[in-house]
Amino acid sequence: MSVMQSALLLLSINLGMLWLLMRMPLGMRTLHVSRAFDCTPEALWNAMNPMGAHASWHHSVISSRQVEAGGNIVEQIYRHTDRNDAPLRRLLSIEPLAAITANAHGFQSSVIDDSTLDASFWRDYRERRIIRPVAGGAVLEIDQTDRYRGLAFLIFRYVALRREMQALDGWLKTGTSEPQGYFEHPLVQVALAILSTLLLWPFIGLTTRGLMISTFLTVVIALHELGHMAAYRMFGHTSARMIFIPFLGGIAIGSRPYRSLFEVATCALMGSGMSAFLVPILILGHGFTQNGILPAAADPPILVFLLILGAFNLLNLLPMQRFDGGQVLRQIFRTHRSQILASFLVTLCILSIGAAIGLPARYLVVGLLIFTLVSVIGGGSFKPRQKLDEMNGGERLLVSFGLYAAIAMHGYAVITAIDRLF
């Protein structure tokens, strides 16, 4: 299989996975989970009923109470925070279920207010919980219905429900609810990064050089996400984590919603921005190999890493919907016309770098079409309840220069590496 065929196959897999996870229209779907517990139905009901005596049993819930005596509105306060670092607040409408079997308890809930997300996010969301007595205990059944586009959020909610069941079982046995799951653990993420490297290896070539390139690509992705994480911490996020997804790369996640357009733009830009600091270091290392300070054998790996670092981050700066470049430009320019003009200029700069390294025009056009398709697949994001604070003139100028500097640095990295390697 040629290099071009391998690249097209890998790209097809990537696009297919993106479409399945982010854009495949699923319509209304209901998740159903159930589990038997070694306790009385009354004890389980007191925990599941949002108005029950132990409704705040879960480790992420601070309180759950009726807004008015005799009413059906419940206020729940969570340890997760909103944009102002205040505990997340959610109002639920609770409706008892009458048409269930004898001795069973049940209710249906919907979200009528949320301190973080816009009301449109919860428009189609419904949840039903039923507790049925069985020999030696009780069974909890949860049905969660919503409208979905893409498998990613559907899978996330299913995993969250399974983890809730595990935490509930622990609370019933010990009186303490503990976080469940190991997916976010650093060791698991390291294992996923290694898996991602090994999965990429056959597409690049099952050789020592192919393993080196796939390893470098994984390291570049990790460095890029570390830049995003550093930006989150600088903006006051109490925690930030990285999730590796084989074939799709990685994603950095903060601890709260964004507060301002400046925060969105800076956090998006810092993935490529932090990596840009490595460019002069790598070029200096290349110079050391030329002068005999470093072994000559280190020169090709340094240049290959420089090329991968520059190309990966440069492509991320393309002004597409879900790319960092698109995120940055949408915060700097607020009108549709100015966004189109800015996107054209940024794309022209990156295409000019491609032309400077000798890529044929047809490859540049095909590449642009492919990344436009990826942008469409990426979809939108959740709409926040409160409008983000606008940028002032100084912030807009700072981010604009940062974007220009990132494009220039990574463009220089690509041109330098190509010139020295070939």
Side-chain angles (χ1 to χ4, degrees):
M1 185 180 293
S2 68
V3 174
M4 184 60 68
Q5 289 173 330
S6 298
L8 289 175
L9 178 59
L10 182 59
L11 183 61
S12 299
I13 294 173
N14 190 279
L15 290 175
M17 291 180 64
L18 277 173
W19 184 79
L20 287 173
L21 291 172
M22 306 298 296
R23 296 298 291 172
M24 184 172 69
L26 299 175
M28 297 293 290
R29 287 290 183 269
T30 298
L31 294 171
H32 176 81
V33 295
S34 64
R35 181 165 177 167
F37 296 92
D38 186 16
C39 67
T40 64
E42 289 72 23
L44 194 55
W45 175 246
N46 280 329
M48 287 298 99
N49 180 10
M51 306 176 196
H54 301 294
S56 59
W57 67 270
H58 196 270
H59 54 271
S60 67
V61 179
I62 297 175
S63 65
S64 181
R65 65 175 186 86
Q66 269 182 300
V67 174
E68 296 181 4
N72 70 329
I73 306 300
V74 172
E75 179 190 60
Q76 291 190 331
I77 307 296
Y78 294 84
R79 299 190 189 279
H80 307 297
T81 57
D82 61 17
R83 55 176 284 180
N84 299 312
D85 285 324
L88 189 153
R89 173 182 173 274
R90 194 170 290 161
L91 292 181
L92 306 180
S93 175
I94 308 298
E95 302 173 12
L97 294 176
I100 54 178
T101 58
N103 300 322
H105 305 282
F107 68 90
Q108 177 174 290
S109 65
S110 58
V111 179
I112 58 177
D113 191 47
D114 187 304
S115 63
T116 298
L117 295 170
D118 186 76
S120 61
F121 177 84
W122 300 104
R123 183 182 298 116
D124 300 308
Y125 178 84
R126 298 293 183 274
E127 184 175 280
R128 186 175 72 166
R129 301 194 173 207
I130 299 176
I131 296 165
R132 305 182 191 275
V134 295
V139 170
L140 170 63
E141 300 175 1
I142 302 179
D143 290 325
Q144 201 177 80
T145 302
D146 205 351
R147 187 178 301 278
Y148 294 93
R149 191 173 186 89
L151 288 171
F153 197 50
L154 184 70
I155 295 171
F156 169 80
R157 277 186 166 164
Y158 177 76
V159 171
L161 287 175
R162 299 298 300 181
R163 288 184 174 183
E164 182 183 350
M165 291 285 195
Q166 295 173 3
L168 177 60
D169 186 58
W171 177 80
L172 289 169
K173 291 176 179 177
T174 66
T176 303
S177 170
E178 298 289 345
Q180 303 295 310
Y182 299 98
F183 182 74
E184 297 88 351
H185 194 280
L187 290 178
V188 175
Q189 291 305 309
V190 170
L192 286 174
I194 295 173
L195 176 62
S196 179
T197 301
L198 295 177
L199 290 175
L200 289 172
W201 187 13
F203 294 94
I204 300 171
L206 290 171
T207 63
T208 304
R209 182 180 177 85
L211 180 60
M212 179 188 71
I213 293 174
S214 62
T215 301
F216 282 172
L217 180 57
T218 300
V219 172
V220 165
I221 292 171
L223 290 171
H224 182 91
E225 300 306 328
L226 283 172
H228 292 310
M229 293 171 64
Y232 284 133
R233 296 307 295 266
M234 286 188 292
F235 276 97
H237 290 247
T238 55
S239 64
R241 60 189 187 275
M242 181 194 311
I243 303 295
F244 252 97
I245 306 173
F247 283 120
L248 295 180
I251 180 172
I253 304 173
S255 61
R256 60 160 175 78
Y258 294 115
R259 292 175 180 166
S260 65
L261 299 181
F262 181 64
E263 182 179 350
V264 176
T266 305
C267 289
L269 182 59
M270 282 297 284
S272 298
M274 288 286 286
S275 297
F277 284 99
L278 291 176
V279 173
I281 297 175
L282 292 168
I283 292 177
L284 187 63
H286 165 66
F288 285 162
T289 62
Q290 300 298 302
N291 296 327
I293 300 175
L294 290 177
D299 194 40
I302 289 174
L303 291 174
V304 170
F305 187 78
L306 180 66
L307 175 60
I308 295 173
L309 180 79
F312 178 85
N313 286 283
L314 199 61
L315 293 176
N316 261 281
L317 292 173
L318 280 167
M320 306 305 178
Q321 173 73 15
R322 298 300 295 169
F323 286 19
D324 293 339
Q327 291 273 19
V328 173
L329 288 181
R330 283 198 303 278
Q331 317 315 316
I332 299 174
F333 302 97
R334 305 302 293 162
T335 66
H336 188 62
R337 180 177 297 178
S338 61
Q339 288 176 6
I340 291 176
L341 179 59
S343 298
F344 174 77
L345 292 175
V346 170
T347 303
L348 185 62
C349 288
I350 296 177
L351 290 179
S352 298
I353 294 170
I357 62 175
L359 286 179
R362 63 179 182 276
Y363 288 168
L364 296 175
V365 173
V366 170
L368 183 60
L369 292 175
I370 289 173
F371 285 108
T372 302
L373 178 60
V374 173
S375 174
V376 173
I377 289 175
S381 56
F382 299 139
K383 182 180 179 182
R385 172 175 174 168
Q386 297 174 306
K387 185 179 179 181
L388 300 182
D389 298 337
E390 293 285 342
M391 281 198 235
N392 59 41
E395 291 171 338
R396 185 170 284 107
L397 189 64
L398 181 64
V399 174
S400 299
F401 275 119
L403 177 61
Y404 172 80
I407 293 173
M409 289 295 289
H410 290 297
Y412 179 70
V414 170
I415 293 173
T416 301
I418 290 292
D419 182 59
R420 301 297 191 275
L421 284 169
F422 303 102

